[in-house]
Amino acid sequence: MAFDQACLQVRGDRVALAAVANAQGWASAERRSPPERGWQVGYWTETRALVRLTGYPATADGLTPAQVICAVDRIEARPGWEQKVSALTVDGAPLGEPSQPDLSTYQIRPDMELKVWDLADGSRIHASYIPTRSYLELSINYPTGR
């Protein structure tokens, strides 16, 4: 699974992601505008999923720390996708069951489902799923401003 290779194994490291992309034969993707004072790299996988690694600076008000977000979107979701994600391993242990997030802190579309896995290091995996389109996006944030 591209999310495991691109996000969980490289932990937000641009050089390591480039090595994975090269080994897998992923094509470089045109970059959208990176966030102000931030950076972004992207790759197309063999299944046409888009891997993005984006670095964000801390907000001026200090409410949001600097972070790196790794996302894989345009994933065709097949039945059992949630179990597949729950079985992914981090530090040798499977993610397990997702938690139900406080949806009042998220702005999501009415036709979207959101699942969240909180990791021991403070990172958080988000799975955004749109059942009517069989579309899945997986992302993980790595706070870097500690």
Side-chain angles (χ1 to χ4, degrees):
M1 174 180 268
F3 181 72
D4 183 35
Q5 294 173 315
C7 298
L8 297 181
Q9 292 179 15
V10 303
R11 306 244 178 180
D13 181 324
R14 284 187 274 188
V15 174
L17 177 59
V20 168
N22 186 46
Q24 295 296 321
W26 297 345
S28 180
E30 288 292 317
R31 288 177 236 164
R32 297 181 298 179
S33 297
E36 187 176 333
R37 298 184 348 260
W39 52 267
Q40 184 174 67
V41 296
Y43 300 95
W44 291 107
T45 71
E46 68 282 353
T47 62
R48 301 302 295 161
L50 178 61
V51 175
R52 290 183 324 268
L53 188 62
T54 309
Y56 294 89
T59 56
D61 60 13
L63 295 176
T64 305
Q67 60 184 322
V68 173
I69 296 178
C70 184
V72 180
D73 62 14
R74 302 182 185 192
I75 301 169
E76 183 180 343
R78 301 188 192 284
W81 70 265
E82 188 176 331
Q83 291 79 17
K84 258 186 155 171
V85 174
S86 292
L88 292 174
T89 59
V90 174
D91 298 328
L95 291 175
E97 293 301 310
S99 60
Q100 183 57 45
D102 175 4
L103 294 179
S104 68
T105 62
Y106 291 90
Q107 295 179 353
I108 62 170
R109 299 168 30 160
D111 63 339
M112 182 181 288
E113 295 176 17
L114 178 67
K115 304 289 182 186
V116 173
W117 289 263
D118 291 307
L119 305 182
D121 68 356
S123 301
R124 176 176 268 188
I125 294 174
H126 292 88
S128 307
Y129 175 57
I130 303 174
T132 57
R133 293 180 33 212
S134 296
Y135 175 89
L136 177 65
E137 177 181 296
L138 294 170
S139 65
I140 186 167
N141 68 316
Y142 294 103
T144 59
R146 296 183 181 183

